[in-house]
Amino acid sequence: MAIAGKPLWRDCETAFARIDELCGDNTSRLFAEPNVKEQEGGRLVVAWFSSFDDEPKRLGELDRGKRARIESNLAARIEALRPALADQGIGETVAAMLNVADEASIVAVGENAVLTNWGILPEEARSSRAAFVRHSEKTIGPYLPSGMSPRVPGQPWAAVGGFATAGLSPPRRVIVPEPTAASAQEAQPSASARHRQAWLWPIAALSLVFAASLIYAAWPGNLVYPVALPSRTAAPPVNSDEVNRIIEERIAKMNTELTKTGCETDSSILGPLLDDGSRGPAAPAPAEGPAQ
């Protein structure tokens, strides 16, 4: 593409410097730098150089997580170009730079989105407004923030967010139907069931604990029963009158013996004599037989 007869690629360093001045440092790094060489027959060979040090990869080669990050990065970098697009001196140039040749022109260099083959449109895409919009929808359109669009120099065409601003139908939107009375009635039993499940959980938990306690108690070796002690036989009742009579008799007998002399006293009332061992061993009893 060319503006006022001047190709976009010629002296693009001036455009990059102006973009960074208006939008912030390194904003222009979204666009790869072209190195154009003309071969025999007027054929041009363009090599693209990125400011990021990494191997470029197409979006289709990325895993889902990284592709989502690259697409978010691309939308943010395009959003940063708003001041340049609104500038009277460079706005038309930057809008033309947002055109890319195909989907493969959007690459990931590390964690950064980079545009190659920018400022290029196939012949078919420049044939009509509808063709231009279709091409934009397949390439840069899905990543355009609200109100931003690539432009074709000399044409009033625009594709905002991948859709034409005039002359074409807007994209279809998925509308979630509002719940009807029938669907509300169908949903009610489910809510009641969830409510019943909510208060049944504590009962089930208590039942489980009680059952585990019973199993633990009945399991051999877990519950220790106290050893049964032998029962003691009850002593026969004591006749206190009889006991008192016997004691009184012994006291009376002892008083009687105390009035006697030592030789006449019956020592049996005092119980057996205690031997303190001073008399030596007791003599053996004589054997029974005729007296000698």
Side-chain angles (χ1 to χ4, degrees):
M1 289 185 183
I3 297 178
K6 180 181 178 180
L8 295 178
W9 296 344
R10 184 178 298 176
D11 195 21
C12 62
E13 291 82 2
T14 303
F16 292 162
R18 182 59 176 165
I19 289 174
D20 290 341
E21 180 182 356
L22 293 171
C23 307
D25 294 340
N26 301 323
T27 305
S28 63
R29 298 176 76 179
L30 170 65
F31 303 98
E33 184 177 353
N35 186 355
V36 184
K37 292 184 179 179
E38 185 174 353
Q39 294 183 342
E40 295 181 0
R43 183 171 177 267
L44 299 179
V45 176
V46 183
W48 299 92
F49 294 89
S50 171
S51 301
F52 304 103
D53 295 330
D54 211 327
E55 180 183 358
K57 293 184 179 181
R58 297 182 180 181
L59 298 185
E61 300 174 357
L62 307 177
D63 59 71
R64 183 180 299 178
K66 185 171 183 179
R67 177 163 183 169
R69 294 194 301 271
I70 294 300
E71 291 176 342
S72 178
N73 177 267
L74 176 57
R77 288 184 173 274
I78 297 175
E79 173 68 31
L81 294 173
R82 283 190 185 273
L85 289 170
D87 184 71
Q88 294 183 355
I90 198 177
E92 187 178 8
T93 299
V94 176
M97 292 169 64
L98 286 176
N99 291 292
V100 292
D102 49 29
E103 297 177 64
S105 301
I106 304 173
V107 298
V109 183
E111 292 290 330
N112 300 280
V114 176
L115 300 182
T116 63
N117 297 320
W118 51 264
I120 301 176
L121 278 179
E123 290 294 333
E124 180 183 357
R126 289 186 290 178
S127 61
S128 64
R129 178 189 287 112
F132 167 72
V133 172
R134 285 195 301 268
H135 178 80
S136 297
E137 288 177 356
K138 293 188 301 182
T139 55
I140 199 68
Y143 315 106
L144 292 174
S146 176
M148 302 181 70
S149 172
R151 296 279 181 174
V152 177
Q155 297 288 352
W157 305 340
V160 179
F163 306 101
T165 55
L168 293 178
S169 301
R172 295 181 179 178
R173 294 183 299 171
V174 178
I175 301 176
V176 180
E178 296 182 358
T180 60
S183 62
Q185 292 177 357
E186 293 177 358
Q188 185 64 28
S190 300
S192 301
R194 288 193 299 268
H195 179 70
R196 288 195 299 270
Q197 292 176 0
W199 64 264
L200 282 176
W201 270 110
I203 297 177
L206 291 176
S207 301
L208 181 61
V209 172
F210 182 72
S213 302
L214 292 179
I215 294 174
Y216 181 81
W219 196 266
N222 289 332
L223 185 60
V224 178
Y225 292 94
V227 179
L229 298 177
S231 60
R232 296 181 179 179
T233 58
V238 178
N239 189 343
S240 58
D241 294 338
E242 181 65 20
V243 172
N244 292 335
R245 187 188 62 79
I246 294 174
I247 292 175
E248 291 176 356
E249 287 182 356
R250 294 191 66 177
I251 292 174
K253 189 175 182 179
M254 290 177 63
N255 291 331
T256 302
E257 294 298 328
L258 289 174
T259 60
K260 296 179 181 180
T261 61
C263 296
E264 297 177 351
T265 303
D266 185 5
S267 60
S268 63
I269 63 172
L270 301 177
L273 296 178
L274 297 177
D275 186 5
D276 57 1
S278 61
R279 296 188 302 172
E288 294 182 0
Q292 294 181 2

